[in-house]
Amino acid sequence: MKKFEILDCTFRDGGYYTNWNFAQNLAEEYFRTVAKLPISIVELGYLSNSNDLNGPFYHMNKNLLSKAKEILRKNQKIYGMVNFKEIKKIKDLDILLKENIKFLDGIRLAVSPYKLDTLIKIINPLVKKYKKISFNVNLMYLSKWKDDEILLKKTISKLSHKVNTVSFVDSYGALLPSEVDSFFKKLKNFTTNFKIGCHFHNNCGLALANTLQAQELGCDVVDSTFKGMGRGAGNAETELLLA
């Protein structure tokens, strides 16, 4: 079996249930637990300057990130998610990174494959400016475009030499393992110079099965959450994936 990395995003994705409010003692217990497990990446929450009532895990700051860094293992990476809909210009993202760069190992940006040109224009100068962190993309709505090989080819070409990981997201939790098998076999026909990731939702109870299918076909980074906690029907369960 090919070695793969687990990215746990319990507080980021699970924050949709709690408005990104989690008690400090629960957060510290989570950090201590994850520090003992073979989890490579922890995506703690969002980086955002939006004016809303969401809690600290939607507006991560250096205090929260430094506490996580203090407890997690040295070889565990800390990521933050950026909702690309909130980024209108380069400066918006630059401010978020500048404020938190000391405690971040990477960021992920969730985006539709049809919006990639705009994303690339914004991240290009920042990839050069912040060389020590990993830039990664979550490509949304996979079930809608999984059979579009032309779009897939264009997507790979646009993101080559631009980002470190591209994760394919089954936003609607609509894919079957057979469709995941077909897509990731198709993906193998293309040369990529970035890692491949996956993020499956559990609307049909198949998030874990789809994750395992993608991993068997060479997926490098797989997303999961404890108890499958996440937006809508949730995600693949971290504890079951570890088992």
Side-chain angles (χ1 to χ4, degrees):
M1 180 180 287
K2 180 183 174 182
K3 187 176 179 181
F4 64 98
E5 296 179 295
I6 295 175
L7 183 154
D8 184 83
C9 49
T10 301
F11 280 13
R12 196 276 300 171
D13 217 340
Y16 283 96
Y17 293 154
T18 67
N19 288 330
W20 293 274
N21 287 294
F22 295 95
Q24 184 176 341
N25 62 339
L26 174 63
E28 291 185 13
E29 184 178 351
Y30 168 80
F31 300 151
R32 287 193 294 271
T33 301
V34 169
K36 299 174 185 176
L37 297 171
I39 291 170
S40 302
I41 304 166
V42 181
E43 185 177 74
L44 282 183
Y46 280 94
L47 296 170
S48 173
N49 280 327
S50 67
N51 184 18
D52 55 50
L53 298 177
N54 292 327
F57 285 85
Y58 194 88
H59 299 277
M60 291 195 302
N61 56 46
K62 58 185 179 183
N63 294 328
L64 173 58
L65 291 166
S66 63
K67 174 57 72 173
K69 207 164 189 69
E70 177 187 318
I71 300 174
L72 293 171
R73 296 195 315 271
K74 299 298 182 188
N75 65 342
Q76 286 178 311
K77 298 173 183 175
I78 298 176
Y79 280 14
M81 172 71 83
V82 176
N83 188 342
F84 190 62
K85 292 177 182 177
E86 295 178 8
I87 304 299
K88 306 303 180 188
K89 51 188 181 294
I90 295 172
K91 186 178 179 182
D92 295 338
L93 185 55
D94 192 18
I95 290 171
L96 289 174
L97 294 178
K98 193 181 297 181
E99 290 174 350
N100 301 288
I101 192 68
K102 184 178 177 182
F103 305 102
L104 282 173
D105 298 293
I107 63 165
R108 296 206 295 178
L109 298 107
V111 64
S112 161
Y114 303 102
K115 303 281 186 180
L116 278 181
D117 290 337
T118 306
L119 178 138
I120 290 168
K121 187 183 296 184
I122 285 176
I123 68 168
N124 259 350
L126 299 179
V127 169
K128 296 171 184 174
K129 181 176 180 178
Y130 298 106
K131 294 180 180 178
K132 290 185 178 180
I133 71 166
S134 173
F135 283 78
N136 310 278
V137 169
N138 276 20
L139 280 179
M140 312 299 286
Y141 317 121
L142 179 59
S143 60
K144 294 180 72 173
W145 59 273
K146 61 181 173 57
D147 297 319
D148 190 338
E149 288 197 42
I150 295 174
L151 178 60
L152 179 59
K153 186 176 180 180
K154 285 181 180 177
T155 296
I156 291 171
S157 175
K158 287 177 181 179
L159 292 174
S160 289
H161 303 289
K162 302 286 194 313
V163 296
N164 299 96
T165 304
V166 176
S167 288
F168 296 91
V169 183
D170 181 15
S171 306
Y172 302 115
L175 293 174
L176 300 173
S178 59
E179 293 172 311
V180 173
D181 182 86
S182 175
F183 177 79
F184 279 90
K185 281 180 177 173
K186 194 183 303 174
L187 191 56
K188 280 188 167 186
N189 295 327
F190 296 92
T191 301
T192 59
N193 55 18
F194 43 72
K195 290 182 179 179
I196 301 297
C198 65
H199 182 106
F200 291 102
H201 287 173
N202 211 26
N203 300 59
C204 297
L206 293 170
L208 182 62
N210 286 339
T211 299
L212 293 173
Q213 189 68 37
Q215 187 276 319
E216 282 187 12
L217 290 167
C219 205
D220 303 295
V221 183
V222 302
D223 287 16
S224 61
T225 61
F226 282 100
K227 301 295 290 181
M229 185 176 178
R231 189 176 192 176
N235 306 84
E237 302 89 344
T238 298
E239 65 276 13
L240 295 181
L241 185 60
L242 289 169

